[in-house]
Amino acid sequence: MTIIDNAVYVNGVRTADPLSLEQTYATLAERGGMVWIGMFRPTATEMDSVAGQFGLHELAVEDAIKAHQRPKMERYDDILFTVLRPAHYIDADEVVEFGELHIFTGTNFVIAIRHAETPGLARVRHRLEGNPELLALGPEAVLYAILDQVVDDYAPVIAGLENDIDEIEDQLFAGDPTVSRRIYQLSREVIQFQRAIHPLTDMLTALELGFEKHGVHRELERSLRDVQDHVQNVTARADSFRQLLQNALTVDGTLTTNRQNEASAAQNEELKKISSWAAIFFAPSFVASVYGMNFHIMPELSWTFGYPFAIGLMLALCALMYTVFKRKKWL
C-alpha cells in the first residue's frame, strides 16, 4: 500500500488511525488537531486527493510524483515543501545509496512521501509520540524531527567513507595497482554525497530567518540549531574527504611515475651491462675475423709469434674495454 502510516493527533496525542484518506479528512474536520500522513510512491490519484484537500501547489505536487529532485525547500503561501536526500553507505560496494523524501507541512498537516525503501520514518514518529509536549507544537516539530533524523543518519556514511579513505592511504604506499580506480570511484561517491548535504545549510538558514515571522516555538529553535551544528560538521568532513582523495590521487600519480622511473633506470643499467659485455666480446671476434680472412700474402701468418700475439691482442683489448666500462660504472 502507498499509505504507510496515517494518524490524527490532538494536543500531541494520537487519537485516530483512519483507514483511508477520506476518513482522515473527516476525522480532522471533526476533531481538529494535526494529521500526519506517511506515503510511499503515491499514485497521481492519491496526490490529487491530498492536494485538493490541503491546497498543495500543483508544481510541488508534480515534483512529488516525478521524484528525482535535488534537496530544496520552497514555500507556497502557508505551505512548506521540503525535499531531502537521506543516505545509506553500503560498505561492501563502497557506494552511497540515496533515498528521496518529500515533506509538505501546513498549519494542521504533515504529508511525508518516500520514493525509496529506506529510510523509514517510523523511528521519528515513535520518538515524537513518546514526547507529546513536543509533538503538540505542530507540523514544525515533525519537520525538524525528520531533518534531525536524516542528518543523524549521515554519521554512518561519514564513518564508512573515512574508513575506506584510511585503507586507500595504506594501499598507496603498498604499490597496489588497483588503488587509482578505487580513489576515483570513492571520489565520485563523495561528490554525490556533497550534492545531497550542501543545500541543507541554506535550507536551515531560511528556516531560522522565518522563526519570528511564523512564531516558531523556542524549543524548536533550539532543535533546529542543533541540526545546523550537525550539518556543518558533516559538510566539513565531506569536504575534507574530497580534498584527501584529490591529494591521494596526486600522490598515486607521483608514486607511479617514480616507480616507472626506477624501473626505467634499472632497465638502463641492465642495458649498459649487456652492451658493455657485447663490446668486450666483440674485440676478440674482430681480431679473429681479421686472421680468418684467408689472404695468401699476410706477414703474420708465417711469423713465429703470430699466434701468441693475436691471443695477447685479444686479451689486451678485452682488459682495456673492461677497465673503461668499469670506470664509467657500466659494469
Side-chain angles (χ1 to χ4, degrees):
M1 295 180 62
T2 58
I3 300 178
I4 305 302
D5 201 347
N6 181 15
V8 176
Y9 299 87
V10 178
N11 296 324
V13 178
R14 187 167 185 150
T15 62
D17 297 282
L19 299 178
S20 67
L21 292 175
E22 289 70 21
Q23 288 184 15
T24 301
Y25 309 150
T27 304
L28 181 63
E30 176 186 348
R31 302 184 184 182
M34 177 190 74
V35 62
W36 182 356
I37 304 172
M39 309 177 80
F40 176 70
R41 294 176 183 170
T43 64
T45 301
E46 290 169 329
M47 284 304 303
D48 288 341
S49 175
V50 295
Q53 177 66 31
F54 299 110
L56 307 183
H57 197 279
E58 59 181 7
L59 293 178
V61 172
E62 182 181 352
D63 288 345
I65 294 175
K66 291 184 177 180
H68 304 294
Q69 302 295 313
R70 61 177 177 80
K72 62 181 180 178
M73 184 173 288
E74 297 174 341
R75 184 171 291 278
Y76 299 91
D77 297 326
D78 293 333
I79 298 174
L80 191 63
F81 176 54
T82 306
V83 179
L84 300 174
R85 297 300 304 273
H88 170 68
Y89 193 62
I90 304 176
D91 191 56
D93 300 325
E94 296 186 357
V95 171
V96 182
E97 187 178 75
F98 294 96
E100 188 166 343
L101 183 60
H102 297 193
I103 309 160
F104 292 91
T105 49
T107 55
N108 62 347
F109 68 88
V110 176
I111 302 171
I113 301 168
R114 289 193 291 118
H115 286 277
E117 295 290 342
T118 56
L121 296 178
R123 285 182 298 167
V124 179
R125 192 183 288 261
H126 179 73
R127 179 161 61 90
L128 285 175
E129 289 178 349
N131 188 352
E133 293 80 8
L134 180 60
L135 188 53
L137 297 179
E140 291 87 357
V142 177
L143 176 61
Y144 293 178
I146 293 174
L147 282 166
D148 185 50
Q149 185 63 59
V150 169
V151 173
D152 283 348
D153 287 342
Y154 288 151
V157 178
I158 290 292
L161 290 170
E162 186 174 33
N163 180 67
D164 289 330
I165 291 173
D166 289 342
E167 292 178 359
I168 282 176
E169 291 176 347
D170 294 336
Q171 281 183 280
L172 276 175
F173 298 99
D176 190 333
T178 65
V179 70
S180 297
R181 183 180 183 86
R182 188 180 184 188
I183 293 172
Y184 175 77
Q185 291 176 336
L186 205 57
S187 296
R188 184 175 58 185
E189 297 304 316
V190 170
I191 291 172
Q192 293 294 330
F193 185 52
Q194 286 180 306
R195 290 174 180 171
I197 63 177
H198 274 180
L200 291 177
T201 301
D202 292 337
M203 291 164 60
L204 295 175
T205 299
L207 283 176
E208 185 177 16
L209 293 175
F211 282 169
E212 184 175 349
K213 178 180 178 180
H214 299 284
V216 176
H217 192 276
R218 183 70 63 182
E219 185 63 29
L220 295 182
E221 291 184 19
R222 297 191 185 99
S223 298
L224 184 66
R225 291 196 176 96
D226 181 62
V227 175
Q228 284 179 311
D229 290 341
H230 291 173
V231 167
Q232 290 174 358
N233 180 53
V234 169
T235 302
R237 296 284 295 282
D239 292 346
S240 70
F241 290 164
R242 187 172 182 181
Q243 186 61 50
L244 284 172
L245 288 169
Q246 288 177 341
N247 293 342
L249 200 58
T250 301
V251 171
D252 179 59
T254 302
L255 292 176
T256 300
T257 301
N258 289 342
R259 285 192 289 267
Q260 290 174 344
N261 290 339
E262 291 173 359
S264 178
Q267 290 176 347
N268 289 339
E269 291 300 319
E270 293 297 324
L271 184 61
K272 287 179 182 179
K273 292 180 181 180
I274 294 171
S275 301
S276 298
W277 285 113
I280 290 172
F281 287 122
F282 174 75
S285 299
F286 173 75
V287 175
S289 66
V290 171
Y291 277 85
M293 295 173 69
N294 296 322
F295 288 113
H296 294 292
I297 302 174
M298 194 170 181
E300 293 86 353
L301 293 178
S302 58
W303 185 31
T304 303
F305 300 102
Y307 175 71
F309 173 77
I311 297 299
L313 180 60
M314 293 179 188
L315 294 175
L317 287 174
C318 289
L320 175 63
M321 296 181 72
Y322 179 84
T323 302
V324 172
F325 290 138
K326 193 71 173 177
R327 287 182 177 179
K328 290 181 175 291
K329 297 183 179 180
W330 283 31
L331 291 174

